[in-house]
């Protein structure tokens, strides 16, 4: 590793305003590496510190970086109701093993406007009975919204947990037509 971090890659970031609050997007040359909810200054600073520790380089604020341009465009289009799928290169460096396997299945196998149960997702990756482990994978998702952990719900119809908060999950599911829009 050189002074630029893992494999000489730079990490760039920007904060994007959305209907669910500010999102921090971070990318490397390999793709989008992190999405962070509620990116206030304090949350942003903690997230950037974790990225620096994990990737071995200090993230650089670069909202006009070509590494972020397409991700920003697609996130904006998603929240405007103009995009249903993300077609972005993803850098999976922040997650591995079972969690990565589950998140890849989620990203490719649960489309916009659909939901899946924790147990169903466990079965899809060949681990029936691993519903709790799927919940852990959702909580570890470094790419929420783009890798749609908000689409994973409880088998009894409950909304389940969510790292971005239940109100954020409700808003994302309403955007996708799974839940009705809140009245106020």
């Amino acid at each position: 590793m050189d002074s630029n971090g893992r494999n000489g890659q730079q990490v760039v970031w920007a904060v994007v305003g959305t209907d669910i609050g500010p999102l921090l997007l971070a990318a490397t040359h390999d793709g989008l590496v992190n999405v962070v909810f509620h990116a206030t200054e304090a949350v942003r600073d903690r997230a950037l510190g974790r990225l620096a520790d994990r990737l071995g380089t200090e993230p650089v604020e670069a909202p006009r970086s070509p590494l972020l341009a397409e991700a920003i465009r697609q996130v904006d289009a998603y929240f405007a109701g103009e995009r249903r799928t993300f077609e972005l290169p993803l850098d999976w460096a922040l997650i591995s093993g079972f969690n990565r396997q589950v998140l890849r299945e989620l990203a490719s196998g649960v489309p916009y406007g659909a939901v899946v149960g924790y147990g169903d997702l466990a079965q899809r990756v060949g681990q029936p009975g691993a519903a709790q482990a799927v919940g852990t994978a959702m909580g570890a998702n470094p790419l929420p919204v783009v890798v749609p952990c908000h689409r994973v719900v409880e088998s009894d119809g409950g909304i389940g947990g969510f790292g971005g908060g239940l109100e954020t999950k409700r808003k994302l599911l309403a955007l996708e037509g799974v839940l009705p829009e809140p009245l106020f």
Side-chain angles (χ1 to χ4, degrees), residues 117-135:
Y118 293 93
D120 294 333
L121 194 52
Q123 192 155 5
R124 286 185 187 196
V125 297
Q127 298 292 324
Q132 279 189 311
V134 167

Side-chain angles (χ1 to χ4, degrees), residues 17-40:
T18 72
D19 293 345
I20 59 168
L23 291 179
L24 181 143
L25 305 178
T28 68
H29 292 286
D30 291 334
L32 190 66
V33 71
N34 205 198
V35 176
V36 179
F37 290 114
H38 314 299
T40 60

Side-chain angles (χ1 to χ4, degrees), residues 40-61:
T40 60
E41 187 174 342
V43 169
R44 183 194 70 213
D45 291 347
R46 283 192 303 275
L48 295 172
R50 283 191 307 270
L51 275 173
D53 290 346
R54 295 283 307 277
L55 300 178
T57 188
E58 198 65 37
V60 175
E61 184 175 16

Side-chain angles (χ1 to χ4, degrees), residues 8 13 33 35 40 49 54 60 78-80 84 106 120 127 132 145 160 168 172 179:
W13 65 272
V33 71
V35 176
T40 60
R54 295 283 307 277
V60 175
Y78 171 81
F79 283 102
R84 292 178 169 230
L106 174 63
D120 294 333
Q127 298 292 324
Q132 279 189 311
V145 179
T168 299
L172 290 167
L179 293 177

Side-chain angles (χ1 to χ4, degrees), residues 133-181:
V134 167
T136 300
M138 296 305 104
N141 182 1
L143 297 161
V145 179
V146 175
V147 176
C149 52
H150 59 277
R151 296 180 189 155
V152 183
V153 297
E154 295 174 345
S155 60
D156 65 3
I159 195 168
F162 194 61
L166 292 182
E167 185 58 29
T168 299
K169 186 171 187 172
R170 284 185 189 96
K171 287 180 179 180
L172 290 167
L173 291 172
L175 172 70
E176 295 188 8
V178 175
L179 293 177
E181 289 286 340

